[in-house]
Amino acid sequence: MRITGIERRAGRPERVAVHVDGAFRCELAAELVHAAQLGPGDEVDEATVRALERKDLLWRAREAGLRLLEHRARTQAEMRRRLLGKGFPPDVVDACVAELEGMGLLDDRAFAEAFARDRLRLRPRGRRLLVHELRVRGVERGLAEAAVSDVLVAESESEHDVARRAAEAWVRRSPRRDRRRLYGYLARRGFAAEVIRTVVDELLGDAAE
């Protein structure tokens, strides 16, 4: 087998079309072809071409992953789901996720802590709901619980403090001082029942139900 042509793709300089024995064989990442030191006239065997095609599949999965990370941080599970949804084979996805993790671009612990910190500062909610939201995003339960606890300590806040902030904001917005409605509001945000009762008593006392 002989390479008879390597052509840059119009508008896609990172990709090249590879022709073998006068016919189009495949499209590959230009950097892979350059690293293999291949050019027109070179002899190749089927195993070499197949290995390059495999490397290109991994290259395309990594590029897709990097584009996803340009928008926001992801958990490993989120990345895996998105890449599988794009049609990449499971073994390629696993290899890509491992590579991105090794590069420090996928870090479930860092994701969980940043997520919990943002939620606590911008949209206060209870420990239970925070852990649930992280679990939905694929963070392992023990890791999610540890991250939430660590963030609460780092922010010097207890769940009571967070619940009170959320309740005070609700009271400022609400025209009615209604214990039942405030209780429901805090419950929907995942605060523990005993914390809710304490905060409602502190803010509304004996206000009418």
Side-chain angles (χ1 to χ4, degrees):
M1 298 169 57
R2 184 185 301 274
I3 295 178
T4 52
I6 296 178
E7 303 170 354
R8 293 277 182 175
R9 284 307 207 189
R12 301 176 65 195
E14 75 281 4
R15 307 289 292 171
V16 295
V18 178
H19 295 259
V20 175
D21 294 337
F24 172 78
R25 169 60 189 260
C26 59
E27 182 179 284
L28 300 172
E31 65 182 76
L32 296 178
V33 175
H34 177 74
Q37 299 183 329
L38 294 177
D42 289 343
E43 293 284 346
V44 292
D45 56 24
E46 184 64 24
T48 297
V49 176
R50 288 187 178 274
L52 281 171
E53 289 173 333
R54 169 70 179 184
K55 288 181 179 180
D56 186 72
L57 191 56
L58 291 167
W59 183 92
R60 287 190 285 118
R62 186 185 69 235
E63 291 298 300
L66 291 173
R67 285 193 294 272
L68 287 169
L69 291 171
E70 288 177 359
H71 299 287
R72 67 169 178 83
R74 312 270 174 171
T75 64
Q76 291 184 34
E78 286 180 320
M79 181 63 72
R80 187 170 282 107
R81 284 197 296 268
R82 291 298 298 272
L83 293 178
L84 288 171
K86 291 179 180 293
F88 292 106
D91 61 327
V92 170
V93 170
D94 288 343
C96 178
V97 168
E99 181 178 2
L100 293 173
E101 182 185 16
M103 295 166 65
L105 300 177
L106 285 179
D107 186 331
D108 281 6
R109 179 57 184 249
F111 176 95
E113 291 182 354
F115 181 91
R117 188 177 300 110
D118 287 346
R119 283 288 195 266
L120 289 172
R121 291 175 178 176
L122 304 176
R123 288 183 280 177
R125 55 201 59 209
R127 182 190 302 267
R128 176 174 56 82
L129 184 55
L130 280 172
V131 170
H132 172 73
E133 290 181 332
L134 287 168
R135 293 286 293 129
V136 168
R137 287 161 176 79
V139 178
E140 187 271 331
R141 177 174 294 279
L143 183 57
E145 291 173 346
V148 171
S149 295
D150 288 350
V151 168
L152 284 169
V153 171
E155 297 290 308
S156 300
E157 285 197 306
S158 65
E159 183 160 359
H160 172 273
D161 297 329
V162 180
R164 184 170 179 110
R165 277 199 294 113
E168 288 172 343
W170 180 89
V171 169
R172 288 194 297 270
R173 296 192 303 267
S174 177
R176 296 173 54 194
R177 297 173 64 82
D178 186 312
R179 290 175 59 90
R180 178 182 56 80
R181 292 178 63 230
L182 177 54
Y183 193 103
Y185 173 82
L186 295 175
R188 289 191 298 276
R189 277 149 185 76
F191 294 104
E194 61 272 19
V195 170
I196 295 174
R197 284 194 294 270
T198 299
V199 169
V200 171
D201 285 344
E202 289 173 355
L203 292 182
L204 298 187
D206 296 326
E209 294 290 337

